[in-house]
Amino acid sequence: MTSRRTFLHTGSSALCACAIPVSAPTAQRRFPKSRPKLTPPAYGQVRLSEGRLKTQLTHQHDLFMGIDNDRLLKPFRVRAGQDAPGEDMGGWYDASDDFHIDPTDWSTANWHGYIPGHSFGQYMSGLARSYAITGDGATQAKVASMVRDFIPTISPSFFDGYPLPAYTYDKIVIGMVDAYRYAGVTEAKTALDLTTDAVLPYLPEKALTREERRARPYTQEAEIWDEPYILPEHLFQAWKLGMGDRYRDLAVRFLQNEALFEPLAAGVSPLKGKHAYSHVNALNSAIEAWYATNDIKYLKAAINGFDFVERQSYATGGWGPNEELVGADDTETLYTMLTDTHRTFETPCGAYGHFKITRSLLGITKDSRYGDSMERVLYNTILGAKPTEPNGDTFYYSDYSHTATKFFRGEAWPCCSGTFIQVAADYGISAYLLETNSLYVNLYVASQLTTQFSGETISVTQVTDYPLTNTSRIEINPAKDTGFKLYLRIPAWSGPATRVAVNGKPAAHIAAGKFLNIERIWQKGDVVEITFEMGLRLEPLNAAHPEMVAVMTGPLTLFPINAPETPLPRETWLKATRSTPDSWSVATIAGAITLKPFIAITNETYRLYNPLSV
């Protein structure tokens, strides 16, 4: 499928798809053969300053710190036939017989008790990462108590008749892995071993596709939805941590080679109709498989697979309307979904998977397009999500329809309640990447990084309200004069007036879509200031629908608020002016139209794409 990104950037008055260029065809691309050149900092090396990212992480952390273990463990105890004190969590999380679906009539579905305890491991993972960021003793104690109290509940009975055993086992794996590596909870290895023993009789012999699963006997439709192909990512991580060689064997067992990785490695997309988030997560399994086996097939699969996903994304960076990916030559589904669904992008889950794969591919390739992609998803999807409520109401879908609103899923504690805390905890480690004697600034977020070069401690502080402002001030403070390379990501959308200055002296050779290298002996008080040209531009939905455009400035999508769908000339949209710090205004014959970025929208009705008049 030809995407919106195949359009050439021909100036501010033209349709533009300049954010992320389509990669070269597989036959023409050179794939890296070495391990990642860039690695994220440790969680504790980055602190978020006051702002939207920190507010979101703090909210998620405090929410799960406030839920007592009896509530969290109740479904495990109920299914093990044990005493189960505490209140029910509600929604998907409870051990209940209420859950039922009829694929011929979804209006009768009852999701209460859909997958009991499913997100327990993700909550633990997010809290363990939060502890790694802050060193807060209460958070470490909470993670340790979750592991300790979980161990007596582990029983094969939990997985007997459970509709999605691989799905929930995967989340327990990452919870125990993160408790072990980030919170130092050694009992997590015991918990993982016992859980693995309990689940093994209920796992298939390989990573079955949904089609293969449907061809086998089953008792309920939900059994078809299990996701064994996501298991390798975290199993490989458990093995690398020394938690047991069998986890490597299990990871290899569940690599979906024939149905997924082999065609992707060959440049052929098998993604049509596949579940969107879980198959992007499977690309992260391909990355771990490449690390573990050195088989270039897996890296090719990850790179090509991400390309296919990118080509079917919206201007926001979101993908997978109704949680399904589309075919490589599909030009119509993204268009029809603008009127056919309000469930356009599975936001916390999709953003979490997106952050992981872009962070990995950026580290492996040093290609700044992956950072461009990450920031687009950050500002246009997850950072504008409604906060999770104490009763489990969770922001699940971003709505890109012509009559869009922000809304909760409607069932308490769905899957996105688990990935929300994980992606928020990952904001800091996504902002910077490190290499020997080099620091890469990937995200322009208010934050502080502490690292070392040549044995000297370096403090880096970003002061910014980007992208609502077009500047970032980066203060460098080494313990003593130290030489290293500072790389700044210059997004592909950056205009020619983008400027970088070091202590007031302009830097040369700034190129959009690349990292700018500044190499010098850094001294205390050195300041790097970057100013982006963030002119308005229009991005078409795709080549088949150039008449449907999104209004963009920098990485931000601007959504018309409560606006009619009357076609307007492109020149009208491109004359939008800033009216407040977080809104723009377009003058029309019928009156002014307000536009806002996703992070500024509350309860208004908004629209992503706008028809152009001929």
Side-chain angles (χ1 to χ4, degrees):
M1 178 179 70
T2 304
S3 80
R4 58 187 171 86
R5 295 185 176 89
T6 61
F7 286 81
L8 298 176
H9 187 192
T10 56
S12 62
S13 64
L15 295 179
C16 169
C18 49
I20 304 172
V22 174
S23 298
T26 303
Q28 302 172 21
R29 186 184 301 133
R30 292 183 178 180
F31 292 93
K33 295 182 179 179
S34 61
R35 292 302 183 94
K37 299 177 176 64
L38 311 178
T39 57
Y43 282 94
Q45 289 180 257
V46 185
R47 295 293 182 95
L48 299 174
S49 303
E50 295 302 321
R52 294 173 184 82
L53 284 78
K54 184 177 180 180
T55 297
Q56 201 173 68
L57 173 57
T58 299
H59 175 85
Q60 289 292 319
H61 168 268
D62 293 350
L63 176 71
F64 291 105
M65 285 292 289
I67 302 176
D68 67 71
N69 288 0
D70 282 343
R71 292 186 68 202
L72 291 169
L73 293 170
K74 188 166 185 176
F76 297 97
R77 291 169 173 159
V78 169
R79 292 184 66 84
Q82 301 172 357
D83 290 339
E87 297 179 5
D88 286 338
M89 292 278 284
W92 290 17
Y93 200 88
D94 291 346
S96 169
D97 295 329
D98 290 347
F99 168 66
H100 66 268
I101 53 173
D102 179 356
T104 65
D105 185 3
W106 289 100
S107 66
T108 65
N110 185 335
W111 296 90
H112 181 223
Y114 168 34
I115 28 182
H118 66 104
S119 46
F120 172 78
Q122 292 176 313
Y123 304 155
M124 184 189 303
S125 166
L127 288 174
R129 296 177 193 195
S130 294
Y131 166 71
I133 295 168
T134 64
D136 174 63
T139 303
Q140 196 273 346
K142 174 68 170 178
V143 174
S145 73
M146 290 171 72
V147 175
R148 181 183 63 246
D149 293 349
F150 174 69
I151 288 175
T153 76
I154 299 171
S155 167
S157 299
F158 178 82
F159 294 103
D160 188 11
Y162 195 88
L164 280 72
Y167 176 93
T168 295
Y169 172 59
D170 175 69
K171 292 162 178 52
I172 293 173
V173 174
I174 190 55
M176 297 306 162
V177 162
D178 283 357
Y180 188 83
R181 65 179 165 183
Y182 298 133
V185 182
T186 57
E187 297 92 337
K189 182 182 182 303
T190 299
L192 181 57
D193 287 340
L194 292 173
T195 304
T196 302
D197 292 339
V199 76
L200 277 175
Y202 302 96
L203 295 179
E205 76 282 3
K206 67 168 188 172
L208 298 174
T209 65
R210 288 192 178 183
E211 294 77 12
E212 290 171 326
R213 184 64 187 86
R214 189 174 295 281
R216 299 184 176 193
Y218 60 95
T219 60
Q220 57 174 306
E221 179 71 17
E223 294 173 21
I224 307 303
W225 306 339
D226 204 10
E227 300 170 351
Y229 48 86
I230 65 173
L231 288 171
E233 178 187 5
H234 300 142
L235 292 170
F236 275 128
Q237 291 176 13
W239 165 68
K240 288 193 296 185
L241 282 171
M243 299 181 81
D245 287 344
R246 71 166 169 171
Y247 296 111
R248 185 188 191 280
D249 296 337
L250 282 173
V252 171
R253 168 177 158 182
F254 290 109
L255 289 169
Q256 198 173 76
N257 292 315
E258 183 178 352
L260 184 61
F261 296 140
E262 289 171 5
L264 284 177
V268 176
S269 173
L271 298 176
K272 181 179 180 180
K274 302 297 185 185
H275 183 244
Y277 162 58
S278 64
H279 281 79
V280 170
N281 249 354
L283 301 182
N284 293 304
S285 285
I287 293 291
E288 291 291 346
W290 179 58
Y291 296 160
T293 69
N294 292 316
D295 188 339
I296 195 68
K297 166 181 69 181
Y298 295 112
L299 180 58
K300 290 181 177 180
I303 290 176
N304 291 341
F306 185 76
D307 285 352
F308 283 124
V309 172
E310 276 284 280
R311 294 175 196 180
Q312 57 180 270
S313 64
Y314 291 98
T316 61
W319 33 262
N322 282 340
E323 299 189 31
E324 285 193 359
L325 296 170
V326 304
D329 58 350
D330 186 335
T331 62
E332 296 304 312
T333 297
L334 297 186
Y335 176 74
T336 60
M337 289 297 103
L338 297 176
T339 53
D340 289 359
T341 187
H342 294 278
R343 300 177 169 190
T344 319
F345 177 51
E346 191 182 3
T347 299
C349 286
Y352 177 54
H354 198 103
F355 265 59
K356 287 190 295 179
I357 190 63
T358 51
R359 193 166 59 237
S360 292
L361 293 178
L362 175 56
I364 292 166
T365 67
K366 294 188 178 181
D367 189 338
S368 65
R369 65 175 280 240
Y370 297 112
D372 289 4
S373 180
M374 181 190 290
E375 78 165 2
R376 187 179 286 234
V377 167
L378 171 64
Y379 295 117
N380 298 312
T381 72
I382 184 63
L383 203 57
K386 294 165 69 73
T388 308
E389 298 286 345
N391 66 359
D393 278 341
T394 301
F395 188 85
Y396 194 104
Y397 296 108
S398 291
D399 182 2
Y400 304 148
S401 73
H402 292 329
T403 55
T405 57
K406 290 185 176 180
F407 57 92
F408 287 125
R409 163 77 192 195
E411 300 100 26
W413 309 113
C415 56
C416 282
S417 68
T419 48
F420 206 153
I421 185 173
Q422 290 177 299
V423 69
D426 285 358
Y427 288 156
I429 66 162
S430 301
Y432 304 94
L433 292 166
L434 301 170
E435 188 180 27
T436 302
N437 213 42
S438 298
L439 166 62
Y440 285 69
V441 177
N442 179 44
L443 297 178
Y444 297 99
V445 297
S447 56
Q448 301 88 39
L449 167 74
T450 302
T451 189
Q452 286 195 338
F453 293 120
S454 303
E456 300 299 331
T457 299
I458 314 294
S459 174
V460 178
T461 301
Q462 277 201 77
V463 180
T464 184
D465 195 26
Y466 174 94
L468 290 181
T469 62
N470 67 335
T471 62
S472 185
R473 175 185 172 92
I474 302 172
E475 302 170 359
I476 312 291
N477 284 293
K480 68 177 186 179
D481 294 0
T482 306
F484 64 91
K485 298 175 183 178
L486 177 68
Y487 288 86
L488 303 177
R489 182 177 57 82
I490 309 300
W493 49 257
S494 302
T498 295
R499 294 289 181 265
V500 175
V502 181
N503 298 330
K505 182 179 179 180
H509 309 302
I510 300 171
K514 296 183 180 296
F515 281 96
L516 172 67
N517 177 17
I518 304 172
E519 184 175 4
R520 59 183 274 119
I521 304 298
W522 297 92
Q523 300 176 322
K524 281 187 177 181
D526 280 346
V527 174
V528 178
E529 294 174 292
I530 183 166
T531 303
F532 296 102
E533 183 183 356
M534 296 171 61
L536 290 168
R537 66 188 190 278
L538 304 180
E539 288 192 4
L541 174 64
N542 56 27
H545 292 283
E547 79 286 359
M548 299 299 297
V549 297
V551 183
M552 307 288 296
T553 178
L556 289 175
T557 307
L558 301 181
F559 298 79
I561 303 298
N562 300 322
E565 295 182 44
T566 307
L568 295 172
R570 70 182 61 172
E571 292 78 12
T572 298
W573 291 114
L574 291 169
K575 289 179 181 177
T577 57
R578 194 80 167 260
S579 51
T580 72
D582 59 7
S583 68
W584 283 251
S585 181
V586 171
T588 74
I589 295 175
I593 296 175
T594 297
L595 299 95
K596 291 185 178 182
F598 201 62
I599 54 178
I601 294 172
T602 54
N603 299 317
E604 304 98 325
T605 299
Y606 60 90
R607 186 174 68 244
L608 171 56
Y609 284 99
N610 311 282
L612 290 178
S613 59
V614 178

